[in-house]
Amino acid sequence: MSGVQGWFGRLKGRTAALREHGARVRARQEAEYAAEYAAEYAAEHAAEHAAEHAAEHAREATDAARNPAGAVPWGVRVAAEAGWRFLVLAATLWVLMRVIGAVRLVVLAFVVALLVTALLQPTVARLHRRGLSRGLATALTAICGFVVLGLVGWFVVWQVSENLGDLSDRVQEGIEELKRWLLNSPFHVTEQQINDIAKKLSDSVGTSTSEITSSGLKGVTVVVEIITGLLLAMFSTLFMLYDGRHIWQWTLRLVPASARRGVAGAGPRAWRTLTAYVRGTLIVALIDAVFIGVGIYFLGVPLAVPIAVVIFLSSFVPLVGAVASGALAVVVALVTQGVFTALMALLVVLLVQQIEGHILQPFILGRAVRIHPLGVVLAVATGGIIAGIGGAVVAVPLVAVTNTVVGYLRTRAEPGPAASSVAADEGAP
């Protein structure tokens, strides 16, 4: 019995050993199958990835072949985009200048009316706030303004016509004095060189005189154009003084709706800049003329009043006009009173211009119309080349207004507190 039990025990042990051996064999087979499957999957996946990468490269090469712009470097594409936009702007500006040239009489009259309106409109607003009707305030301001401007124009024409011959003689004497000084100076300037320069200047003046004379033959046409321009400027001024707000609202309706809000906010700021510039320039020109005229009068320089008138007119061309009129005062002082008086006149001119540039203009004009001197010179030169003296006078206020409008639009486009304050200001009554 014990033998049978021992046999069953051994059979049971062998069976367990066989099961363990079978389990180890199955585990080894499964591991070998998994490793083989993983190797096959990795090889297949690598092949598919390589095929996709090659197909992508092939698609890029095909796209580049079909679209040559894609092969152009990024910097060149940016330059090309900016270039054609610049050409469009230049062509638009050229067409605009051609249109303005075709109707220059109307444009000039409107610009004059705009400047006069900027000068008189604060007075109309002040009288209207004091209880006068809009029409009565406009009529009183326009009549007084036109009378004052007419008296100023008559005084300027009278002084210039009365003293033009004497002033030309004084300038000629100054040129002769300068010629003698150059001959005796250490610069080794010969008389032949001076005569050549004088001949070129004389030829230029003679050419200009002949052109003016030939233009003067059309006297009736010129007179008609002047009268038409003056009447058009007067009527435009009256309408803008009386109904300027409604004219501006009507103009806004012509602007696309998407840009109307920005234009509505930029318009009043541009008008305030123009008003400040016109009034400030008038005050500064008057101060320059009075102080320089009084200074050279007490120095004993003749023709002080005509020189002051020239200084007043020249001051409307910023920077350039002041330098030219100051040089004229110094030349007249040199030829009439000698070197010491000329130096004293130069000191007076420089002192007044320094006070004007560093005290009067920042205080009267303010920061809204402050332009860098280089911008003033370039604007005056460009305006003079395009439209002569009128262009030189209008160029600086145009640049000031443009600077205000661009600054406002840039601030409005920027997100943050600045844009919020601009939006709040637009909503203010």
Side-chain angles (χ1 to χ4, degrees), residues 24-159:
R24 288 195 298 271
V25 170
R26 284 194 300 274
R28 186 170 60 252
Q29 289 177 351
E30 290 177 356
E32 291 176 355
Y33 177 76
E36 183 179 357
Y37 177 78
E40 291 178 356
Y41 178 79
E44 183 179 357
H45 183 70
E48 291 179 356
H49 182 71
E52 291 177 358
H53 192 64
E56 183 178 357
H57 276 291
R59 284 195 301 271
E60 290 179 356
T62 304
D63 293 339
R66 292 177 179 176
N67 184 19
V72 178
W74 179 81
V76 177
R77 291 201 300 271
V78 171
E81 293 284 338
W84 74 258
R85 285 176 172 84
F86 177 79
L87 290 177
V88 170
L89 291 176
T92 304
L93 183 61
W94 182 80
V95 172
L96 181 62
M97 295 303 299
R98 297 284 293 182
V99 172
I100 291 175
V103 292
R104 59 185 179 274
L105 179 62
V106 177
V107 173
L108 183 59
F110 180 75
V111 170
V112 171
L114 200 62
L115 296 178
V116 176
T117 303
L119 180 64
L120 300 180
Q121 189 270 336
T123 304
V124 175
R126 191 176 297 110
L127 292 176
H128 185 58
R129 286 195 300 267
R130 291 183 179 273
L132 293 180
S133 64
R134 188 77 182 179
L136 183 57
T138 301
L140 288 177
T141 304
I143 292 173
C144 295
F146 290 151
V147 168
V148 171
L149 291 176
L151 290 176
V152 170
W154 169 79
F155 179 76
V156 169
V157 173
W158 173 56
Q159 286 294 319

Side-chain angles (χ1 to χ4, degrees), residues 273-274 277 281 318-319 357 361-362 365-380 392-404:
T273 298
L274 182 62
Y277 178 85
T281 302
L319 200 62
Q361 284 191 356
L365 297 180
R367 303 183 65 89
V369 293
R370 184 173 297 175
I371 307 173
H372 194 276
L374 178 60
V376 172
V377 173
L378 294 178
V380 170
V393 174
V394 175
V396 177
L398 179 62
V399 171
V401 169
T402 304
N403 183 40
T404 300

